[in-house]
Amino acid sequence: MRRDVRPDPAFRFHQRDLSEYRDADLNPYLKLHLAYGPPVLTADQAHAARGRWAETFGRAAPLHVEVGSGNGFFLAGMAGLHPDWNWLGLEIRFKRVVQTAGRIRAAGAAHARIARYDAFWMGDLFDDGEVSGLYVNHPDPWPKPRETRNRLLARPFAETAARLLASGAHLRVKTDSVAYVDGILAVLDGLPFEVVGRSDDIASEGPPWPPDDDVVSSYQRKFLDRQAPVHALWIRRL
Ligand SMILES: C[S@@+](CC[C@H](N)C(=O)[O-])C[C@H]1O[C@@H](n2cnc3c(N)ncnc32)[C@H](O)[C@@H]1O
């Protein structure tokens, strides 16, 4: 089965009547994310925003999307660097959605949202060419050969990215896994992308993009502190 069309029970979980569940059985962050309001978007709200993101943000602006936002440090930081763009994070874990929402609020970033969404289904959220920038920081590496099929940045993701990114838009990836870098380059083959730059050690070489146009993510910080190399790819949609 293709990972991008797998059934995802968690995606629909909140649509069910919560009274069906004993309170003690519910993830408290699931309930928190439902009650949070902006900047949190539930999966249904994100889904309904397809083609209407300007309405969701209350303004028309280039849409930049981070996949797997974790605790939101990168998303809130980048929203601060680019107040003229709309920023959307996609995160699957309820607790991290709530953490990211807290960071967005603390940063006063009214032009940022965090959606609880499984990024394997990212294609459902955007019309063709609706996205101006896509960012993936330290995606789960799944390093063992039998786990490779779990990687998010596989061929279906690359095909979806080619569809939703506008011509001239970029995809920026940072990862601690060099095998993942090579895997991404392989899945881009034959798609309308060009590699603008690559770094195999951001600490010594700098990132391939302008260094002042970046925020060190929380996972990146862990690897930098251990003096482990962080790899980066800067890719442009042709
Ligand atoms: C290793 S952490 C990196 C977090 C953050 N990007 C950073 O660099 O600090 C990977 C993140 O991706 C999220 N994630 C994993 N699979 C996902 C999916 N299918 N859709 C959305 N988020 C996902 C995880 O919950 C986690 O927060």
Side-chain angles (χ1 to χ4, degrees):
M1 184 179 7
R2 278 163 61 112
R3 288 286 298 198
D4 62 335
V5 292
R6 70 192 167 149
D8 176 16
F11 170 61
R12 304 247 168 244
F13 183 79
H14 65 276
Q15 293 177 320
R16 297 166 71 172
D17 182 351
L18 292 186
S19 64
E20 288 174 34
Y21 297 90
R22 286 190 318 134
D23 214 42
D25 293 335
L26 287 176
N27 175 343
Y29 291 97
L30 181 151
K31 289 193 291 182
L32 255 177
H33 110 286
L34 287 178
Y36 210 98
V40 169
L41 299 173
T42 64
D44 278 350
Q45 288 166 338
H47 200 255
R50 178 176 179 153
R52 301 190 300 121
W53 284 102
E55 212 177 296
T56 300
F57 282 92
R59 67 172 188 176
L63 179 59
H64 287 248
V65 178
E66 187 199 9
V67 169
S69 300
N71 68 12
F73 194 83
F74 177 86
L75 185 70
M78 289 299 282
L81 286 181
H82 292 285
D84 295 337
W85 297 347
N86 290 336
W87 286 89
L88 173 68
L90 306 180
E91 173 53 54
I92 199 165
R93 294 180 66 179
F94 296 109
K95 183 174 181 180
R96 292 180 179 178
V97 167
V98 171
Q99 285 174 331
T100 297
R103 274 193 207 279
I104 291 172
R105 278 198 179 166
H111 56 299
R113 300 282 184 281
I114 178 70
R116 193 273 152 177
Y117 212 85
D118 183 339
F120 277 99
W121 297 71
M122 170 180 76
D124 295 349
L125 298 183
F126 309 105
D127 281 349
D128 295 5
E130 206 176 5
V131 177
S132 298
L134 191 57
Y135 306 76
V136 192
N137 297 309
H138 297 269
D140 296 327
W142 300 106
K144 296 180 185 154
R146 69 171 184 279
E147 298 172 337
T148 314
R149 69 191 177 87
N150 294 325
R151 284 185 182 161
L152 177 63
L153 276 75
R155 185 70 179 187
F157 180 94
E159 287 170 354
T160 300
R163 183 186 67 72
L164 59 86
L165 286 170
S167 174
H170 62 246
L171 165 63
R172 284 175 26 171
V173 184
K174 292 189 270 190
T175 174
D176 43 281
S177 164
V178 71
Y180 213 152
V181 173
D182 294 338
I184 294 166
L185 292 173
V187 300
L188 295 181
D189 193 41
L191 294 175
F193 288 108
E194 68 172 357
V195 178
V196 181
R198 169 178 180 163
S199 169
D200 280 301
D201 185 2
I202 288 185
S204 62
E205 297 173 17
W209 43 80
D212 56 352
D213 184 18
D214 201 5
V215 170
V216 174
S217 77
S218 295
Y219 267 74
Q220 185 183 355
R221 171 62 55 208
K222 288 185 197 179
F223 287 94
L224 293 177
D225 288 350
R226 274 186 231 157
Q227 299 185 333
V230 171
H231 310 266
L233 276 179
W234 189 15
I235 293 155
R236 195 171 76 91
R237 170 71 166 85
L238 294 171

